[in-house]
Amino acid sequence: MRLFRLLKIATVASRFGLDEMVLEHEPSGRLVRLANALQFWRNLSAPRAERLRLALEALGPIFVKFGQVLSTRRDLMPTDIADELAKLQDRVPPFDSALALKEIEKAYGRPASEVFAEFDPVPVASASIAQVHFARLHDCDGGHEVAVKILRPNMLSVIEHDLALMDSGALLLEKLWSDGKRLKPREVVAEFAKYLRDELDLMREAANASQLRRNFTDSELLIVPEVHWDFCTSTVMVMERMRGTPISQTDKLRADGIDLSKLSAAGVEIFFTQVFRDGFFHADMHPGNIFVHADGRYIALDFGIVGTLTDSDKNYLAQNFLAFFRRDYKRVAEAHIESGWAPKETRVDEFEAAIRAVCEPIFDRPLKDISFGKVLLRLFQTSRRFNVEIQPQLVMLQKTLLNIEGLGRQLDPELDLWKTAKPFLERWMSEQVGWRGLIKTFKQEAPYLARTLPQLPRLVHQALSAPPQPSLQPQMEQLVRARRWQNVWLALIALLLALLLGSQHL
């Protein structure tokens, strides 16, 4: 099977001239001329980025997904390729409804007609990993209207084969392309494999949805569908059916009386709340996954990809954002070095000047005049110059920021992201390091203190009544003496060897 798959990949790569994209980096140019001569019938007039996108689409859902992930790695991809891959849509041809019904029967051990009171065989959405059908539960199960997400059948075997082939291709790319080692294609494939395997477990996605819903319980900004756990398996996920307007349909939103300026500001607040309050954020916020409820709240869908941040990550990011908003570029540079992301020997003044050159031109400008893609690209170029390590969790954050940019441009091009985000960050920082932070930390540590404090008298008594530990000084002195004698014997042996060698030359 792997051999046939490899032959298909080679055929598609040849048809779209992907070999030319790799071989053109060979210094002499002989290999690319030979490849083009042997495949003279090909039409390679289209730009290389467009040919790459078409090739990924021809290879199927896994490669489409890989292209989507690559489009977010603007720190690694040339600009033209990243822009073209960003055009890849989540919608791919759905699989047959009969297969969907078989997958349901396989998951539950009984046909869909017994599991659901109603099941629409026509999918309402189809993506590279799964597709969604609407259904209704039986009255004995609550009679709720639900959305049923079904994993594409036989995905595991195909994915493992494709990932193995991708890794082999990445290894070849490292050997043949001058920039191969710097771009680390095998690490990119490994990162893609990690997120892809996570997405293949719909129980994990259900858990992500449940966590996000709990984080935004009774929120006036965001609605997250309820998960029906009794009907969730690793291949089928059942959640509350949501009704709303896709966020990309701005004309309909206006007609429904939705304030787009307010909506765009709410989107910024939701993002920063997820990142800094929860350290758990929806990392796939493209327009296809975001709807708007009739009451003006956001509706989040598709929770296969989420990002997580530690407390140290959040603190580092908050310091950088605040310093950035205050145009304190020296503090931004210092924070990078203090965190270990930039080498300790980095000159702060040079790093500060480079950051200023990237960031200063975008202040006091509305969102319509700013391209986060270009800003992030220049920041990553600066990072490479100063050997800054790009953290995986921040790559997810970068991807989400690009999604936020796209949503913001659609809703309110005049949105001032800085003025919207700065008060939130200042409030968050005051809660972390001020007296509110002290009270919050004390509350978090209260259970531990309540358990430990009553034990302190006993622990102190045990420490005071314990017999004194024998001193290690005698053993240390003995080791030093032994080491000295060892050195004396080595010197004597060396002297004897020297005398023997000298006597041989006499």
Side-chain angles (χ1 to χ4, degrees):
M1 178 179 177
R2 186 174 296 185
L3 178 61
F4 284 119
R5 185 62 171 159
L6 183 59
L7 288 173
K8 179 180 179 181
I9 293 172
T11 302
V12 172
S14 171
R15 175 160 40 114
F16 291 100
L18 301 191
D19 55 324
E20 182 190 61
M21 295 172 60
V22 176
L23 297 176
E24 68 183 4
H25 295 278
E26 193 269 324
S28 69
R30 295 192 190 101
L31 291 178
V32 69
R33 287 195 296 271
L34 178 62
N36 287 335
L38 293 175
Q39 303 170 90
F40 59 87
W41 60 86
R42 300 187 300 181
N43 179 11
L44 304 182
S45 58
R48 63 172 187 170
E50 181 181 343
R51 286 188 278 119
L52 176 59
R53 175 178 60 81
L54 293 173
L56 293 176
E57 289 177 344
L59 288 171
I62 303 306
F63 284 83
V64 169
K65 192 73 176 177
F66 186 56
Q68 294 167 357
V69 172
L70 283 180
S71 71
T72 69
R73 294 304 306 265
R74 292 178 177 266
D75 57 320
L76 301 178
M77 294 292 106
T79 306
D80 61 326
I81 291 179
D83 289 342
E84 187 68 30
L85 293 182
K87 296 179 182 178
L88 289 170
Q89 299 296 318
D90 274 348
R91 288 188 172 273
V92 296
F95 56 87
D96 189 82
S97 298
L99 289 176
L101 293 171
K102 283 184 181 179
E103 285 299 305
I104 289 177
E105 186 168 358
K106 185 191 214 177
Y108 299 121
R110 50 193 174 129
S113 58
E114 294 183 15
V115 179
F116 304 103
E118 298 174 11
F119 182 85
D120 188 348
V122 180
V124 294
S126 178
S128 51
I129 300 297
Q131 69 186 34
V132 179
H133 297 255
F134 285 149
R136 187 173 66 81
L137 297 177
H138 287 287
D139 291 339
C140 60
D141 295 317
H144 305 289
E145 290 186 320
V146 294
V148 183
K149 188 170 186 176
I150 306 170
L151 199 68
R152 285 180 175 269
N154 305 317
M155 286 289 288
L156 284 173
S157 59
V158 174
I159 282 174
E160 292 303 328
H161 283 111
D162 282 353
L163 288 176
L165 293 173
M166 283 182 181
D167 185 67
S168 301
L171 178 61
L172 187 64
L173 195 63
E174 281 188 1
K175 301 296 184 184
L176 296 179
W177 194 7
S178 58
D179 273 350
K181 289 185 178 179
R182 181 179 65 81
L183 297 179
K184 302 177 181 178
R186 295 192 74 189
E187 290 187 17
V188 175
V189 172
E191 182 183 327
F192 169 65
K194 174 183 176 295
Y195 290 120
L196 188 59
R197 290 188 178 107
D198 286 349
E199 283 193 82
L200 288 175
D201 185 355
L202 294 187
M203 285 294 285
R204 181 187 289 266
E205 179 174 346
N208 292 339
S210 182
Q211 176 70 55
L212 195 64
R213 177 180 172 85
R214 187 163 62 253
N215 290 347
F216 283 84
T217 301
D218 300 325
S219 171
E220 297 180 358
L221 301 175
L222 180 66
I223 304 173
V224 179
E226 179 184 2
V227 174
H228 294 278
W229 282 108
D230 291 341
F231 298 90
C232 290
T233 71
S234 60
T235 58
V236 180
M237 174 183 171
V238 178
M239 57 186 164
E240 176 186 2
R241 177 179 177 177
M242 307 304 294
R243 286 183 168 82
T245 303
I247 199 166
S248 57
Q249 298 181 11
T250 52
D251 291 339
K252 187 174 187 309
L253 291 174
R254 288 192 189 93
D256 292 341
I258 302 295
D259 186 339
L260 298 189
S261 296
K262 184 177 178 182
L263 191 66
S264 61
V268 174
E269 184 172 348
I270 290 170
F271 170 72
F272 281 98
T273 300
Q274 290 182 52
V275 170
F276 292 105
R277 187 194 70 184
D278 305 326
F280 184 88
F281 59 94
H282 192 305
D284 201 16
M285 294 178 65
H286 63 76
N289 288 340
I290 304 294
F291 283 61
V292 180
H293 194 268
D295 62 8
R297 287 184 292 172
Y298 282 91
I299 300 173
L301 301 171
D302 194 347
F303 310 94
I305 304 178
V306 298
T308 57
L309 298 171
T310 64
D311 288 340
S312 59
D313 289 333
K314 291 189 289 183
N315 185 61
Y316 162 80
L317 285 170
Q319 288 189 42
N320 272 273
F321 271 117
L322 280 175
F324 174 70
F325 291 149
R326 294 166 180 165
R327 305 192 192 188
D328 186 355
Y329 305 115
K330 182 179 180 181
R331 180 59 197 144
V332 174
E334 289 173 343
H336 275 73
I337 297 171
E338 290 169 2
S339 67
W341 291 3
K344 290 182 178 180
E345 63 272 14
T346 302
R347 285 189 53 175
V348 174
D349 57 336
E350 291 183 357
F351 197 15
E352 174 190 357
I355 296 171
R356 180 183 294 108
V358 175
C359 300
E360 191 65 22
I362 67 175
F363 274 101
D364 300 324
R365 299 173 69 183
L367 194 58
K368 68 178 180 180
D369 297 331
I370 300 171
S371 171
F372 273 109
K374 292 180 180 178
V375 172
L376 287 169
L377 178 61
R378 292 191 63 193
L379 282 174
F380 281 127
Q381 290 171 341
T382 301
S383 298
R384 281 199 296 269
R385 175 185 161 194
F386 288 93
N387 297 317
V388 175
E389 294 184 9
I390 304 301
Q391 306 297 310
Q393 67 271 32
L394 294 194
V395 172
M396 298 297 292
L397 199 64
Q398 171 238 338
K399 173 183 184 291
T400 308
L401 272 172
L402 292 175
N403 292 144
I404 294 289
E405 176 194 16
L407 294 176
R409 287 184 188 281
Q410 288 181 359
L411 298 175
D412 181 16
E414 299 295 334
L415 174 69
D416 190 329
L417 182 62
W418 324 126
K419 289 182 179 177
T420 306
K422 185 179 176 182
F424 179 89
L425 282 173
E426 289 177 334
R427 184 171 66 251
W428 184 84
M429 282 296 287
S430 70
E431 291 174 353
Q432 299 303 306
V433 299
W435 63 269
R436 292 187 184 88
L438 180 63
I439 294 174
K440 180 181 177 183
T441 303
F442 183 79
K443 286 180 178 179
Q444 290 174 344
E445 296 293 332
Y448 173 77
L449 293 174
R451 187 173 64 254
T452 306
L453 284 175
Q455 301 177 26
L456 283 178
R458 176 170 54 83
L459 295 173
V460 171
H461 179 266
Q462 288 177 351
L464 293 174
S465 60
Q469 295 294 324
S471 174
L472 295 177
Q473 187 65 27
Q475 290 90 332
M476 292 297 295
E477 291 176 354
Q478 186 177 356
L479 285 173
V480 170
R481 285 195 298 269
R483 184 62 183 268
R484 284 174 182 168
W485 277 111
Q486 183 182 23
N487 291 338
V488 170
W489 281 111
L490 287 173
L492 288 173
I493 292 170
L495 180 60
L496 287 172
L497 286 173
L499 291 172
L500 286 172
L501 290 172
S503 65
Q504 290 177 0
H505 290 286
L506 292 175

